[in-house]
Amino acid sequence: MSGHGVVSPSFAGPWFIELLARNGDVLARLRVDALPIRIGRGYDNDLILDDDYAAASHAVVERDAAGRLLLRDLGSRNGIVVRGKRLTETVLTDDTVARIGHTALRVRSVGFPVPPELVDRTFHGWEGAWPGIAGIALVAAFSLLVGWLGDTQYYEPVRYFAALAWGIGGALLWGGAWALANRLFGRHARLGRHLFIVGCGVAALAAYALVGSTLGYAFSLEAFTHYASHVATLLLAGMVYFHLCTIRPRQRLRYRWACAGLALMGSSLILVANVQRTGRLADELAMSVLMPPGVRVSRDRGIDEFMRDVEALKEPLDNSRGRKLGDDLDQD
């Protein structure tokens, strides 16, 4: 038996022929009360396909000798395709998806059991314009903060306007791309939700940069700044996860694994790039954050202690140079 699922014992009529999109969504339903059901491009069929790759009389749905519902090809050029295989006929179940030309369809009886309704996780209070405005506001605040922290020149409003434009433009481009995907695969664009996700992501990134830098400077915890790119990678993977869940909320477990793999791959590439660039795993050789001395909590290291550390490095460096010089003399 071709197809998949369990054959209904009766599969009694009337029947509904469902035309399906590539993502499985139902585009149209046609009720048919009696067999056989003729399918094709010609106007004498019960189901007329607007498909250049379907024959005038392409296929027919009828009962076989065992009483099962059968989809049979009528000698067309392109045949019937089920699960990637071209067939001349296939027994239909409630879940069999057959492709005729470029049209995907399935046949279900009136007694097909539908599952209970889902808990609505697709729409809530954070939909529409207000979440989008909140997301844009968060991005704007982040852009101005980054511009202010990096401004070492005389105050010029044009630089802040440029930072604001780049930030909002980037957020609209990113959120718009996800909204387009949402429209294609989830029926609704939901731009407001996607912009809110972008805003929350950049707000989390700004919060970590501020808190991590402060803790790193105050307590001499250089790891907060040395490995900040990995936190950014994790936050980016989290944003992608929430974007995907907005489009298809029923695939959450699959998205968690995919985004975890994305974060792991991104962090691995960052580590490899750091080793190739500087020979170290850290993003920077020294802490680049400077804050007012009053922020410091850890004990400051004096010049004498620093010079003792430098002297301690002298002997290993001399030994390394001696070994390298000896290797060069041996090669000569």
Side-chain angles (χ1 to χ4, degrees), residues 150-195:
D151 192 2
T152 59
Q153 304 175 18
Y154 291 106
Y155 171 74
E156 292 184 6
V158 66
R159 289 200 297 271
Y160 291 89
F161 282 119
L164 196 62
W166 277 104
I168 294 177
L172 290 174
L173 183 62
W174 177 272
W178 282 105
L180 177 61
N182 210 143
R183 182 65 181 86
L184 292 175
F185 300 104
R187 297 186 181 182
H188 304 281
R190 307 178 72 184
L191 178 61
R193 174 81 72 87
H194 289 292
L195 289 176

Side-chain angles (χ1 to χ4, degrees), residues 23-96:
N23 62 354
D25 288 343
V26 178
L27 299 176
R29 287 187 178 94
L30 173 67
R31 173 174 172 148
V32 181
D33 294 315
L35 296 176
I37 305 171
R38 295 176 298 275
I39 304 172
R41 207 153 40 94
Y43 285 84
D44 57 344
N45 292 286
D46 299 297
L47 174 62
I48 302 172
L49 298 180
D50 186 15
D51 188 335
D52 292 338
Y53 297 90
S57 297
H58 197 112
V60 62
V61 179
E62 58 190 4
R63 295 279 189 188
D64 65 1
R68 300 174 300 181
L69 211 60
L70 186 74
L71 177 63
R72 180 168 58 86
D73 180 48
L74 296 177
S76 66
R77 178 178 298 177
N78 295 317
I80 300 168
V81 178
V82 178
R83 302 181 72 177
K85 296 181 179 180
R86 176 169 176 168
L87 306 170
T88 56
E89 61 181 35
T90 182
V91 174
L92 294 176
T93 72
D94 286 323
D95 294 320
T96 302

Side-chain angles (χ1 to χ4, degrees), residues 307-323:
M307 294 305 299
R308 284 196 298 270
D309 292 340
V310 172
E311 288 293 334
L313 294 174
K314 181 179 179 181
E315 184 177 354
L317 288 174
D318 290 341
N319 293 335
S320 176
R321 290 175 180 174
R323 286 194 299 269

Side-chain angles (χ1 to χ4, degrees), residues 18 29 94-95 106 108 111-119 250:
E18 298 179 337
R29 287 187 178 94
D94 286 323
D95 294 320
R106 67 182 169 213
R108 284 179 170 172
F112 175 75
V114 297
E117 70 274 14
L118 299 173
V119 177
R250 299 181 64 180

